[in-house]
Amino acid sequence: MDIGVVLQCTPPASRVVELARQAETHGFSHVWTFDSHLLWQEPYVIYSQILAATRKVVVGPMVTNPSTRDWTVTASTFATLNDMFGNRTICGIGRGDSAVRTLGGKPATLATLREAIEVIRELGNGRSARVDDTIVRFPWASASRLEVWVAGYGPRALELTGEVADGFILQLADPDITAWTIARVRAAAEQAGRDPGSVKICVAAPAYVTDGSAAAMAHAREQCRWFGGMVGNHVADIVAKYGTDGDIPHALTDYIAGRRGYDYNEHGQAGNTHAEFVPDAIVDRFCLIGTPDEQVARLHELEKLGVDQFAVYLQHDAKTATLEAYGESVLPRLAHPVTATEGAE
């Protein structure tokens, strides 16, 4: 299993680049960032610096959207970075959240998302694409290679992912929900005539390594509770569309009953006020909190479900410590299955 990291482009940009460099040093395979240009600094500029400061990590947004960025410019950016630094970029994309809503907009339709995926991927791989009534191609990008991974939760978004995406991004680490979403994605891929195993699976969530004490666990939960609020903001849209009586897991929908809106000024921040409704049980299921043994056990559980990459959201007060703990105590143990003895330590 690959291990990636998800960063915010919070000033100064040099700090973001340094965290990316540290992540590669500790064995992380991917460096993802938020893409919300009003809340944080411009990620695509920072990608160039990250790639220059590293040798192997793959870099890209988790996630961009079809609305705030021209599709051809997005593809050109990735193809240019690939030409400069080798094929080390990846495009995570969704319907649009903070980047769109802070401008007063709404998420793109799935039809628009599907069209954007096609244009970005074809151009990013040096092939021609149709944009409205025009066929376009980058004549200089024949060697560029770009995968497009799609983030989503709802049934229709999961079907779209299975039909067209190179990878699927699930922004939570609950094993039951992970199994449900993977099954939906793979079923859609098979129905579309694709090899279900060709769609790579990425689970992304905060990880906070503790010594297992009650005090440390309580502090870690408070640092990661924001994530349940962020996920709940997406889930609220799903509940509004599908209700709570369908086949969507209740573990995904029930906990938002106490939700009271969302403030994007606190998006992705530890200690934000709009995540107070998120119970400890959800924090524990959605995130990876605990000792290295507990982290490894959950990662092996996710791996058995078919997860190819776990991406660590690094939005808390232990950024460097988490990178170090994963590099020293977690990543080296992912090459072999966890044993019952290890899990009990």
Side-chain angles (χ1 to χ4, degrees), residues 76-98:
S76 181
T77 300
F78 288 122
T80 301
L81 291 172
N82 284 340
D83 181 65
M84 294 171 67
F85 300 103
N87 290 316
R88 293 171 55 200
T89 66
I90 189 168
C91 180
I93 192 169
R95 294 174 58 209
D97 183 36
S98 59

Side-chain angles (χ1 to χ4, degrees), residues 61-175:
M62 187 181 285
V63 295
T64 192
N65 68 86
S67 301
T68 60
R69 296 186 182 276
D70 181 275
W71 309 343
T72 62
V73 175
T74 296
S76 181
T77 300
F78 288 122
T80 301
L81 291 172
N82 284 340
D83 181 65
M84 294 171 67
F85 300 103
N87 290 316
R88 293 171 55 200
T89 66
I90 189 168
C91 180
I93 192 169
R95 294 174 58 209
D97 183 36
S98 59
V100 176
R101 295 185 195 268
T102 51
L103 289 168
K106 296 180 179 180
T109 65
L110 289 175
T112 298
L113 177 58
R114 182 188 295 268
E115 186 178 358
I117 293 167
E118 175 74 10
V119 170
I120 293 169
R121 181 167 52 205
E122 293 307 293
L123 293 178
N125 283 282
R127 300 186 290 264
S128 62
R130 178 181 292 276
V131 180
D132 296 325
D133 295 326
T134 304
I135 302 297
V136 297
R137 181 176 174 271
F138 303 141
W140 44 268
S142 60
S144 177
R145 296 296 177 265
L146 177 69
E147 291 188 351
V148 180
W149 293 22
V150 175
Y153 299 98
R156 289 182 58 207
L158 298 176
E159 290 172 5
L160 169 66
T161 301
E163 290 167 359
V164 303
D166 297 303
F168 165 54
I169 298 170
L170 175 64
Q171 291 162 308
L172 56 81
D174 179 280

Side-chain angles (χ1 to χ4, degrees), residues 12-289:
S14 58
R15 171 63 167 157
V16 182
V17 175
E18 174 58 20
L19 287 170
R21 190 197 64 77
Q22 290 179 26
E24 180 177 71
T25 299
H26 289 298
F28 286 71
S29 62
H30 290 67
V31 174
W32 305 86
T33 74
F34 285 60
D35 178 10
S36 193
H37 60 287
L38 292 182
L39 297 178
W40 304 290
Q41 291 184 328
E42 170 56 40
Y44 288 35
V45 176
I46 297 174
Y47 292 161
S48 188
Q49 293 297 307
I50 291 174
L51 289 165
T54 57
R55 297 185 299 113
K56 296 181 180 180
V57 290
V58 177
V59 176
M62 187 181 285
V63 295
T64 192
N65 68 86
S67 301
T68 60
R69 296 186 182 276
D70 181 275
W71 309 343
T72 62
V73 175
T74 296
S76 181
T77 300
F78 288 122
T80 301
L81 291 172
N82 284 340
D83 181 65
M84 294 171 67
F85 300 103
N87 290 316
R88 293 171 55 200
T89 66
I90 189 168
C91 180
I93 192 169
R95 294 174 58 209
D97 183 36
S98 59
V100 176
R101 295 185 195 268
T102 51
L103 289 168
K106 296 180 179 180
T109 65
L110 289 175
T112 298
L113 177 58
R114 182 188 295 268
E115 186 178 358
I117 293 167
E118 175 74 10
V119 170
I120 293 169
R121 181 167 52 205
E122 293 307 293
L123 293 178
N125 283 282
R127 300 186 290 264
S128 62
R130 178 181 292 276
V131 180
D132 296 325
D133 295 326
T134 304
I135 302 297
V136 297
R137 181 176 174 271
F138 303 141
W140 44 268
S142 60
S144 177
R145 296 296 177 265
L146 177 69
E147 291 188 351
V148 180
W149 293 22
V150 175
Y153 299 98
R156 289 182 58 207
L158 298 176
E159 290 172 5
L160 169 66
T161 301
E163 290 167 359
V164 303
D166 297 303
F168 165 54
I169 298 170
L170 175 64
Q171 291 162 308
L172 56 81
D174 179 280
D176 293 338
I177 298 173
T178 298
W180 177 78
T181 57
I182 291 175
R184 295 295 292 250
V185 168
R186 288 181 170 166
E190 186 172 14
Q191 190 169 3
R194 306 178 67 197
D195 174 8
S198 68
V199 183
K200 298 175 184 176
I201 308 295
C202 174
V203 163
Y208 202 110
V209 182
T210 75
D211 61 8
S213 68
M217 291 293 289
H219 176 76
R221 289 189 183 105
E222 289 309 311
Q223 286 293 306
C224 296
R225 199 176 304 277
W226 66 268
F227 184 71
M230 185 188 80
V231 172
N233 197 46
H234 297 295
V235 172
D237 288 341
I238 297 173
V239 170
K241 184 176 181 64
Y242 298 100
T244 58
D245 297 328
D247 65 345
I248 301 173
H250 287 280
L252 180 60
T253 59
D254 286 356
Y255 84 98
I256 69 166
R259 178 179 175 272
R260 297 291 184 269
Y262 195 83
D263 182 0
Y264 278 97
N265 290 316
E266 297 181 319
H267 186 57
Q269 294 182 18
N272 64 41
T273 58
H274 53 261
E276 295 174 351
F277 73 94
V278 180
D280 287 352
I282 288 294
V283 179
D284 290 347
R285 289 184 67 84
F286 283 16
C287 306
L288 269 66
I289 296 175

